[in-house]
Amino acid sequence: MRLRHIEVFNAVMLTGSVSAAARLINVSQPAVSRILAHAELQLGFALFHRLKGRLVPTTEAQTLYPHIERLFTQLDDVQRLAASLKGDGREGELHILSVLALSYEVLPRALRSFRAQHPDVGITIEALHSPQIVSALVLQEADVGFVFSSIAHPSLSQEHIADGYMVCVAPKGMLDPALVRSGTVHLTDLADTPVVRLDVRDPIGTVVSHACREAGVGLRTAITVQTYHAALALARHGHAVALVDACTAASADRSQVDVLALAPHIPVPIQSLRTVDRPASLLASAMTACMRQAVAETMGGVGLPSPAP
């Protein structure tokens, strides 16, 4: 199939008729019918049957379509990359990607410092999951990304910002008062307590699961979430104990939850990611330095417990 055949086939699959497909791709109806017929002639099989004025895809067309969808996704990636390359000459702009957990407390602190140094820089921020951040940076859609855990990718360089750690956030009254007064909770102390945990597909979710196996603890997972702030909200509303990173715990409402150190110590490395093929960006470097300072302030200046040994 030629690219024009694929474009018409995709339009008909999306709209279900020749007239609607013609409007979608801005060509005439006869042109759509002619290109579709030529595609079927080349392929040697029918792509659609006519049924009450609509085009119904054949089994062959339905088998082919998922591959066409992937192709159009790749074409969209090419367009976005081309637009990004076209914009490389712009000055005074910084596109930042961050995992959601760093976007509530750490990133606003970092931006305060950054904007004091660079008040005229236009800033775009996107809070995404780590795989999305990696993908966007590889496509050169952003200048810098901030993630948890080390990420190895040949197109990206990473810089260690800080060593975070996991803490326990418990609804008031859920844990034993003596345990709360001690300031530290062990994973074994939570064996019979409902726990909110992050999806194990998340890098830190995987680390927590490994720590539980090492400690021989099978936590009673009450709820699984995609973000740490969702876990924090559930703890605040009394649903379960949340195991979250220290930066997320900085947002905790201490009138409704207890924040305790977690043993054994579970590290949460915080990394800055940049594209290796792009020229060094002074703005991205400055933002990374501000993030490093903001992480230290967030973990050390708001009364969070120290990491358990």
Side-chain angles (χ1 to χ4, degrees), residues 171-302:
K172 290 283 187 182
M174 181 167 285
L175 298 182
D176 183 85
L179 192 62
V180 173
R181 285 194 298 272
S182 74
T184 300
V185 62
H186 197 283
L187 285 172
T188 55
D189 297 322
L190 301 175
D192 297 320
T193 304
V195 175
V196 182
R197 291 171 63 183
L198 201 68
D199 194 312
V200 294
R201 290 172 293 183
D202 180 89
I204 305 305
T206 301
V207 170
V208 172
S209 294
H210 176 73
C212 290
R213 289 194 298 271
E214 288 289 307
V217 178
L219 294 181
R220 183 155 66 91
T221 303
I223 307 172
T224 300
V225 296
Q226 297 295 316
T227 69
Y228 282 126
H229 276 84
L232 190 66
L234 289 169
R236 181 170 64 86
H237 285 278
H239 290 281
V241 165
L243 302 181
V244 301
D245 67 284
C247 292
T248 296
S251 302
D253 183 347
R254 302 301 181 87
S255 69
Q256 300 189 58
V257 297
D258 296 310
V259 180
L260 298 93
L262 185 64
H265 174 57
I266 303 175
V268 181
I270 302 172
Q271 311 282 352
S272 168
L273 300 179
R274 304 201 13 215
T275 307
V276 296
D277 293 334
R278 260 188 168 178
S281 167
L282 295 177
L283 293 177
S285 296
M287 187 65 206
T288 298
C290 291
M291 282 291 285
R292 180 179 288 105
Q293 177 185 351
V295 169
E297 291 174 356
T298 301
M299 292 195 298
V302 291

Side-chain angles (χ1 to χ4, degrees), residues 49-93:
H49 297 304
R50 290 192 175 274
L51 181 65
K52 296 181 180 179
R54 293 188 60 82
L55 294 180
V56 178
T58 62
T59 301
E60 292 81 1
Q62 292 172 343
T63 302
L64 192 61
Y65 189 54
H67 300 275
I68 300 297
E69 286 185 306
R70 285 197 292 272
L71 176 60
F72 270 85
T73 298
Q74 292 172 336
L75 289 172
D76 287 340
D77 289 343
V78 170
Q79 283 187 319
R80 298 205 318 265
L81 176 56
S84 174
L85 292 172
K86 180 182 178 181
D88 272 350
R90 296 177 298 177
E91 296 181 355
E93 295 186 15

Side-chain angles (χ1 to χ4, degrees), residues 36-205:
L36 195 59
H38 190 251
E40 290 177 326
L41 182 63
Q42 281 202 332
L43 289 169
F45 55 80
L47 291 170
F48 298 95
H49 297 304
R50 290 192 175 274
L51 181 65
K52 296 181 180 179
R54 293 188 60 82
L55 294 180
V56 178
T58 62
T59 301
E60 292 81 1
Q62 292 172 343
T63 302
L64 192 61
Y65 189 54
H67 300 275
I68 300 297
E69 286 185 306
R70 285 197 292 272
L71 176 60
F72 270 85
T73 298
Q74 292 172 336
L75 289 172
D76 287 340
D77 289 343
V78 170
Q79 283 187 319
R80 298 205 318 265
L81 176 56
S84 174
L85 292 172
K86 180 182 178 181
D88 272 350
R90 296 177 298 177
E91 296 181 355
E93 295 186 15
L94 185 66
H95 192 164
I96 303 167
L97 308 177
S98 172
V99 291
L100 190 62
L102 294 173
S103 67
Y104 282 82
E105 291 289 337
V106 176
L107 192 53
R109 290 171 182 262
L111 283 174
R112 185 185 304 118
S113 177
F114 179 85
R115 289 182 63 79
Q117 302 170 36
H118 307 279
D120 298 325
V121 172
I123 299 171
T124 300
I125 299 171
E126 290 186 79
L128 304 170
H129 291 291
S130 295
Q132 295 171 308
I133 291 175
V134 170
S135 177
L137 286 171
V138 169
L139 290 170
Q140 301 188 29
E141 295 175 348
D143 300 294
V144 63
F146 300 102
V147 299
F148 289 145
S149 191
S150 296
I151 294 178
H153 194 287
S155 298
L156 301 179
S157 63
Q158 62 180 336
E159 179 181 346
H160 184 71
I161 293 179
D163 287 310
Y165 50 91
M166 297 297 289
V167 300
C168 173
V169 178
K172 290 283 187 182
M174 181 167 285
L175 298 182
D176 183 85
L179 192 62
V180 173
R181 285 194 298 272
S182 74
T184 300
V185 62
H186 197 283
L187 285 172
T188 55
D189 297 322
L190 301 175
D192 297 320
T193 304
V195 175
V196 182
R197 291 171 63 183
L198 201 68
D199 194 312
V200 294
R201 290 172 293 183
D202 180 89
I204 305 305

